[in-house]
Amino acid sequence: MLIPARMSEAEEQRWVSVMLDKLAAQESKRLLGDAELAERAERLSLQYFGGRARPTSVRWVTNQNTRWGSCTPAEGSIRLSHRLQGMPEYVIDYVLLHELAHLLVPGHGPRFWRLLEAYPRTERARGYLEGVVAADRLPHLPAAREG
Ligand SMILES: [Zn+2]
């Protein structure tokens, strides 16, 4: 850490603690725990589906690289790919709502999408995720050449 010169020890202490608080805030913003995820799902279900979608478990998984989320309606369990961590909250909320909706309607028919219309950022979140997938498919930039 670079500390500006000519700070008194007290100033320096204060400055360091402010920086550490900032870092901690960024960290917690980036990593939502399983408990927070379950809480969020409950809040979203209440807000958009009248609380009808009631998952028994909601958690992050790291073994899911081709799908953003999945659910097992028979068990009421929802899993979200860890790849969503660090994405905007409205995107995570969309994936949560998508899986919550599957607890009510299987498949992706008109009834399913009608449920998701209640969430105002469905289209935006889908666009964001499509962009991420497209970017993943781009060829990697060549390493800087010498000469
Ligand atoms: Zn789906």
Side-chain angles (χ1 to χ4, degrees):
M1 235 186 277
L2 269 177
I3 295 170
R6 288 200 293 153
M7 260 190 180
S8 74
E9 207 173 311
E11 281 173 333
E12 192 179 305
Q13 289 275 318
R14 206 175 60 85
W15 187 80
V16 167
S17 79
V18 166
M19 292 310 285
L20 289 176
D21 281 353
K22 269 191 188 161
L23 283 174
Q26 281 170 7
E27 198 72 24
S28 67
K29 207 174 174 187
R30 203 161 44 235
L31 298 174
L32 218 60
D34 282 348
E36 289 97 320
L37 203 59
E39 232 172 70
R40 226 181 159 83
E42 198 182 319
R43 213 167 346 117
L44 288 167
S45 173
L46 267 177
Q47 189 174 352
Y48 295 103
F49 303 150
R52 284 181 299 136
R54 293 199 187 93
T56 53
S57 84
V58 185
R59 59 193 177 88
W60 295 108
V61 290
T62 54
N63 61 353
Q64 197 167 264
N65 288 314
T66 56
R67 294 204 284 175
W68 298 115
S70 65
C71 81
T72 310
E75 294 169 9
S77 59
I78 288 175
R79 293 161 301 274
L80 256 58
S81 167
H82 74 292
R83 293 179 64 214
L84 290 163
Q85 285 173 358
M87 288 190 193
E89 288 183 352
Y90 75 88
V91 175
I92 295 176
D93 283 353
Y94 161 72
V95 179
L96 269 175
L97 271 171
H98 185 116
E99 301 310 328
L100 285 166
H102 278 313
L103 296 181
L104 306 172
V105 180
H108 298 110
R111 271 186 67 216
F112 176 83
W113 291 114
R114 223 171 293 135
L115 271 178
L116 283 180
E117 273 169 19
Y119 182 59
R121 295 201 259 188
T122 288
E123 277 312 305
R124 194 172 158 198
R126 293 182 76 195
Y128 183 99
L129 292 172
E130 277 168 19
V132 171
V133 171
D136 275 353
R137 289 196 188 125
L138 289 175
H140 291 280
L141 292 171
R145 264 181 245 138
E146 279 177 12

